Amino acid sequence: MKLHTVLHYLQPYMSYKGENPEITSIVNDNRQVTAGSLFVCIEGYTVDGHDFAVSAAEKGAAAVLAQKELDLDIPVILVKNTRRAMAVLADAFYGQPSQKLHLIGITGTNGKTTTSHLIEKILADAGRKTGLIGTMYTKIGEQTFEVKNTTPESLTLQSTFKKMTDSGADSAVMEVSSHALDEGRVHGCDFDVAVFTNLTQDHLDYHKTMDEYRRAKGLLFAQLGSAFNHERPKYAILNADDPASAEYEKSTAAHVLSYGIDHEADLRAVNIEMTSAGTAFDLSSPFGKHKVSLKMIGKFSVYNVLASIGAGVASGIPISKIIKSVEEVKGVSGRFETVDAGQNFSVIVDYSHTPDSLKNALETVKQFAQKRIFAVVGCGGDRDRSKRPIMAEIACQYSTDPIFTSDNPRSEDPLQILRDMEEGAKGEKYKTIVDRKEAIHYAVKNAGEGDVILIAGKGHETYQQIGNQVFDFDDRQVAKEAIEER
């Protein structure tokens, strides 16, 4: 694609009359520059892409898109916002691939990963060829690829959609983070269905206030579009039990399908029964009443399933097929995942890293724990500090044996993170063990028959980041080893 052709997609039209080289790729990482690349300079939090423009030119870049004047021997195209322009160009360069997919986006504080996997299974069981983008990995067919962010930058995103369509995929499911919405990473994504799980405290280090956090999540619904295309209708799947849904319903012209437990909703779970083996409920819907028996446990699992049913219905799949699909799911990696090494007590690893998700996990544990509840919990470094004392308070309130430990300290002092947590546990009984491995071993060593250990915060992660170093660390493997050493 010629440079002039690429630039034609920017509006208002960029009047550029310089050289017109062939553009073979668009990249925003200097390390990925090859001959013919259009290098996009992005101002990041720690690195400014403009500082690498000279290096990009030396590596053979054909042109540079920038926000600042640059003295280079190759064409430099100036725009007001390179991140915004990049989204437009990525969509055009890869042939607007999201418009060729039935695209479902899930946003919310908790439940995005489980809900996305449930929806992906519903679609696959119905004969759709699927792709998935989320916290754990990107998946195209049966192939999985590592990811850096829950929602990638627009370039990576559109390139991934192109790979999906090239592989024959007709549907895609993706987690959409508040950061991605706020930064415009999903500009150009033609969502058909937008799902909202819930809104609770998280990411205030970035958004500063809950109002801003709520606004960012709402962009997914505002961007669903206002045209009524009856050949390809848009749907917003909203949680009737979360107050933020009222705002999101006003933000969109899409058809709204609500779900819930405590309030009236289009899809409502009633007569919920929970055991340590699973959850059953009656589904009340416009399509009649249906019995649903899940292999997953917890009220939060019911919400995730209801949201998934809503997305399945909006995707034109019969509700009987949807229910059959969700009933087969045992769970998602690192989400309330049990570790069984023959012990006479329960060990559960969960990704709960927000106050609400920790509370939900411990409330669920309390429903089947026979004796003591050990809560091994930490808080990540370089993240929202205000939630640390809240999570410690919840651990003390809902467990008998709270154990505060490290999560991913990153650049912060682990002891300071723990001191922040302890502010919420004054007067309470708890134990502090800085080393996460030691904390897990302590819980396993002291647990007895009928007890439950919840290891919270890292879930599926197989690493721990301390300072600038990343170490192999899997809560599930550490717990299994601790049990075997008893």
Side-chain angles (χ1 to χ4, degrees):
M1 189 180 286
K2 291 289 188 179
L3 178 60
H4 287 182
T5 304
V6 173
L7 297 181
H8 176 73
Y9 291 100
L10 293 179
Q11 297 294 333
Y13 176 66
M14 300 294 301
S15 181
Y16 176 77
K17 298 178 182 177
E19 296 176 38
N20 189 26
E22 185 73 22
I23 300 300
T24 57
S25 66
I26 302 176
V27 299
N28 66 333
D29 185 337
N30 172 56
R31 293 166 295 184
Q32 297 174 354
V33 172
T34 56
S37 293
L38 171 61
F39 178 62
V40 183
C41 301
I42 299 292
E43 290 185 347
Y45 299 113
T46 57
V47 176
D48 186 349
H50 294 83
D51 296 337
F52 298 93
V54 172
S55 174
E58 291 172 349
K59 289 182 176 181
V64 170
L65 192 73
Q67 292 176 186
K68 305 172 185 176
E69 294 279 358
L70 296 170
D71 184 16
L72 300 174
D73 294 330
I74 58 174
V76 177
I77 300 91
L78 287 176
V79 295
K80 291 181 181 178
N81 187 323
T82 51
R83 193 184 294 273
R84 196 176 188 93
M86 181 173 70
V88 176
L89 297 181
D91 176 63
F93 187 80
Y94 289 108
Q96 299 190 301
S98 71
Q99 295 185 27
K100 301 168 187 174
L101 294 163
H102 177 72
L103 183 59
I104 300 174
I106 302 110
T107 197
T109 308
N110 304 312
K112 295 188 295 296
T113 299
T114 298
T115 302
S116 66
H117 280 77
L118 285 166
I119 295 171
E120 197 256 353
K121 176 171 169 49
I122 290 167
L123 294 171
D125 288 350
R128 308 281 181 90
K129 293 185 177 179
T130 62
L132 184 146
I133 300 171
T135 304
M136 293 168 58
Y137 45 64
T138 288
K139 182 181 176 188
I140 303 176
E142 294 305 315
Q143 279 190 298
T144 58
F145 309 88
E146 288 186 8
V147 292
K148 291 182 180 178
N149 299 312
T150 296
T151 313
E153 277 282 10
S154 56
L155 266 177
T156 304
L157 204 48
Q158 298 301 334
S159 170
T160 302
F161 289 148
K162 177 68 163 57
K163 289 174 184 173
M164 288 179 181
T165 56
D166 286 349
S167 73
D170 53 48
S171 303
V173 186
M174 64 178 291
E175 298 178 48
V176 185
S177 70
S178 57
H179 292 68
L181 287 161
D182 191 63
E183 294 174 357
R185 293 184 217 160
V186 292
H187 284 172
C189 295
D190 188 15
F191 291 102
D192 295 287
V193 181
V195 179
F196 170 58
T197 58
N198 49 66
L199 187 80
T200 61
Q201 183 177 335
D202 199 14
H203 303 306
L204 295 191
D205 54 315
Y206 177 91
H207 296 289
K208 308 305 179 189
T209 68
M210 283 298 293
D211 285 343
E212 277 300 300
Y213 183 37
R214 184 178 65 251
R215 179 200 62 79
K217 293 288 188 189
L219 291 173
L220 180 61
F221 305 94
Q223 291 170 12
L224 268 178
S226 293
F228 294 119
N229 182 343
H230 301 295
E231 297 295 317
R232 189 175 174 177
K234 309 280 189 182
Y235 287 90
I237 315 300
L238 301 177
N239 182 349
D241 293 344
D242 194 297
S245 290
E247 180 179 324
Y248 299 159
E249 184 168 359
K250 290 179 183 178
S251 300
T252 184
H255 302 291
V256 173
L257 191 61
S258 63
Y259 68 91
I261 297 172
D262 301 327
H263 295 85
E264 286 294 330
D266 298 316
L267 300 166
R268 188 176 185 185
V270 296
N271 303 323
I272 299 173
E273 295 179 2
M274 254 175 258
T275 69
S276 59
T279 308
F281 64 88
D282 294 328
L283 174 65
S284 176
S285 78
F287 319 100
K289 291 191 175 181
H290 303 264
K291 291 275 188 185
V292 182
S293 297
L294 305 175
K295 294 183 173 71
M296 299 176 287
I297 59 176
K299 189 177 182 181
F300 58 88
S301 294
V302 177
Y303 278 114
N304 294 337
V305 166
L306 289 173
S308 305
I309 292 172
V313 168
S315 301
I317 300 170
I319 199 161
S320 57
K321 284 190 175 182
I322 295 171
I323 292 171
K324 184 176 184 295
S325 291
V326 298
E327 287 185 330
E328 292 173 353
V329 178
K330 292 181 179 178
V332 174
S333 178
R335 271 64 180 176
F336 220 76
E337 182 178 353
T338 58
V339 178
D340 188 356
Q343 75 277 14
N344 59 1
F345 53 90
S346 299
V347 177
I348 296 165
V349 171
D350 190 64
Y351 191 54
S352 43
H353 60 286
T354 67
D356 189 63
S357 60
L358 180 62
K359 179 173 176 284
N360 289 338
L362 285 170
E363 282 183 330
T364 301
V365 167
K366 287 190 78 168
Q367 294 185 36
F368 62 84
Q370 298 172 22
K371 297 178 182 175
R372 298 161 73 188
I373 298 173
F374 292 80
V376 180
V377 60
C379 293
D382 303 330
R383 298 294 187 267
D384 180 8
R385 290 184 63 181
S386 65
K387 70 181 181 182
R388 293 171 185 173
I390 302 171
M391 291 185 68
E393 182 182 4
I394 289 168
C396 291
Q397 184 179 353
Y398 291 92
S399 72
T400 60
D401 294 78
I403 302 168
F404 303 157
T405 189
S406 295
D407 191 298
N408 290 316
R410 300 183 178 88
S411 70
E412 284 196 69
D413 178 0
L415 287 172
Q416 182 56 53
I417 296 173
L418 289 169
R419 283 193 287 269
D420 289 345
M421 291 181 68
E422 289 171 343
E423 285 297 310
K426 289 181 177 178
E428 300 288 348
K429 186 191 84 171
Y430 61 87
K431 191 168 187 66
T432 299
I433 303 174
V434 180
D435 185 279
R436 191 174 182 90
K437 182 177 180 179
E438 285 183 23
I440 293 171
H441 275 254
Y442 174 86
V444 169
K445 183 179 178 181
N446 287 275
E449 185 175 354
D451 292 344
V452 180
I453 300 172
L454 176 72
I455 306 171
K458 290 172 58 58
H460 66 283
E461 293 177 354
T462 56
Y463 64 89
Q464 186 176 32
Q465 187 175 343
I466 303 173
N468 294 321
Q469 292 184 286
V470 178
F471 301 92
D472 289 338
F473 197 100
D474 188 326
D475 283 349
R476 297 160 295 189
Q477 188 60 37
V478 172
K480 186 172 184 292
E481 290 169 358
I483 294 166
E484 290 171 347
E485 288 176 12
R486 271 177 55 114

